[in-house]
């Protein structure tokens, strides 16, 4: 297992996230999944792949519990992803594995967070 810190996080030639020399496209823990993509097109493909792979195991994605988070320095960027005719909600931050992730890239263990934080037991897409 690789410790994730600023020293071992890079971008490859395609703009994908590389941690400890390995391309990273998702983080999994229990019933939570975080998908990582550098563009909306890549997020759509990864999300579609997740839906298809889940279906093979008779599992479904709940669009009401699935959230998107765009991590960027540029405000106003929207992630327009849909599933079964419903657009996924985009949040400004969320709690995942005991820490809060935010659209500005911040990650802390305690935080005064407004009501836009989605709780545990959610799927998250991070662009």
């Amino acid at each position: 297992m690789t410790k994730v810190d600023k020293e071992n996080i890079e971008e490859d030639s395609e703009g994908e996230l590389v941690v400890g020399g390995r391309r990273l496209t998702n983080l999994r823990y229990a019933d939570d999944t975080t998908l990582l993509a550098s563009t909306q097109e890549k997020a759509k493909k990864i999300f579609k792949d997740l839906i298809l792979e889940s279906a093979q195991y008779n599992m479904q994605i709940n669009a009401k519990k699935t959230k998107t988070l765009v991590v960027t320095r540029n405000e106003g960027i929207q992630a327009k992803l849909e599933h079964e005719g419903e657009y996924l909600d985009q949040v400004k931050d969320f709690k995942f594995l005991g820490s809060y992730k935010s659209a500005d890239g911040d990650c802390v263990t305690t935080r005064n967070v407004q009501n836009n934080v989605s709780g545990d037991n959610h799927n998250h897409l991070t662009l």
Side-chain angles (χ1 to χ4, degrees):
M1 179 173 285
T2 302
K3 179 181 176 190
V4 177
D5 57 29
K6 290 182 181 180
E7 286 76 40
N8 63 5
I9 297 176
E10 307 169 14
E11 272 190 39
D12 67 10
S13 61
E14 296 177 28
E16 298 295 328
L17 189 63
V18 177
V19 178
R22 297 184 67 185
R23 183 180 284 181
L24 188 65
T25 59
N26 68 78
L27 301 172
R28 294 172 287 203
Y29 182 80
D31 60 351
D32 286 338
T33 301
T34 299
L35 305 177
L36 307 170
S38 57
T39 66
Q40 182 162 320
E41 291 75 26
K42 290 178 183 177
K44 284 180 181 179
K45 182 191 180 320
I46 292 171
F47 186 54
K48 181 180 178 184
D49 291 347
L50 174 67
I51 293 166
L52 294 173
E53 190 70 24
S54 297
Q56 290 183 13
Y57 295 94
N58 217 17
M59 298 170 65
Q60 297 179 347
I61 305 299
N62 184 335
K64 292 184 186 337
K65 292 176 64 178
T66 303
K67 311 295 179 196
T68 63
L69 172 72
V70 175
V71 178
T72 182
R73 293 185 179 120
N74 304 320
E75 290 191 34
I77 296 176
Q78 297 289 312
K80 295 185 174 113
L81 299 172
E82 74 176 283
H83 178 54
E84 296 181 343
E86 290 186 60
Y87 280 98
L88 305 180
D89 288 337
Q90 182 170 324
V91 296
K92 293 183 180 178
D93 43 26
F94 66 88
K95 184 177 181 181
F96 184 69
L97 299 179
S99 63
Y100 295 94
K101 287 37 169 183
S102 65
D104 64 3
D106 196 17
C107 178
V108 294
T109 55
T110 59
R111 186 173 193 162
N112 285 336
V113 181
Q114 300 172 353
N115 292 336
N116 62 349
V117 173
S118 61
D120 293 334
N121 299 320
H122 285 77
N123 301 308
H124 309 280
L125 293 173
T126 305
L127 293 178

